[in-house]
């Protein structure tokens, strides 16, 4: 999940969007055997954050990324 303040939650661990290396490492460790994942983002999250994380997901084999918008 991505919040409007730039926090990224992956398996209950919080990361800041400014530290994409840590986010990339956490995504690398995810189970991608299905090749699909749901990316949730608050409606006011910056588009560039969402696209950046989608790019990383795609790099590590998540070919089907569903986006869910969280209304606050």
């Amino acid at each position: 999940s991505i919040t409007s303040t730039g926090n990224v939650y992956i398996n209950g661990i919080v990361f800041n969007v400014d530290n994409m290396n840590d986010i990339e490492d956490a995504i690398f460790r995810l189970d991608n055997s299905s090749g699909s994942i749901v990316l949730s983002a608050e409606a006011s999250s910056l588009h560039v954050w969402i696209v950046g994380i989608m790019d990383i997901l795609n790099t590590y084999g998540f070919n089907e990324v569903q986006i869910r918008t969280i209304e606050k």
Side-chain angles (χ1 to χ4, degrees):
S1 294
I2 306 170
T3 68
S4 60
T5 58
N7 288 330
V8 178
Y9 293 86
I10 302 172
N11 285 340
I13 301 171
V14 64
F15 301 89
N16 187 281
V17 76
D18 290 331
N19 197 340
M20 285 300 227
N21 289 334
D22 287 347
I23 293 170
E24 185 169 355
D25 185 55
I27 289 172
F28 172 76
R29 297 175 192 281
L30 291 174
D31 175 19
N32 69 347
S33 57
S34 69
S36 66
I37 194 165
V38 176
L39 177 60
S40 301
E42 290 182 353
S44 54
S45 299
L46 294 181
H47 181 76
V48 68
W49 298 342
I50 297 166
V51 171
I53 291 175
M54 287 177 65
D55 285 343
I56 295 169
L57 288 166
N58 187 262
T59 297
Y60 290 107
F62 292 96
N63 299 317
E64 183 181 323
V65 179
Q66 299 175 22
I67 301 173
R68 179 178 0 167
T69 302
I70 303 168
E71 297 293 336
K72 246 184 155 178

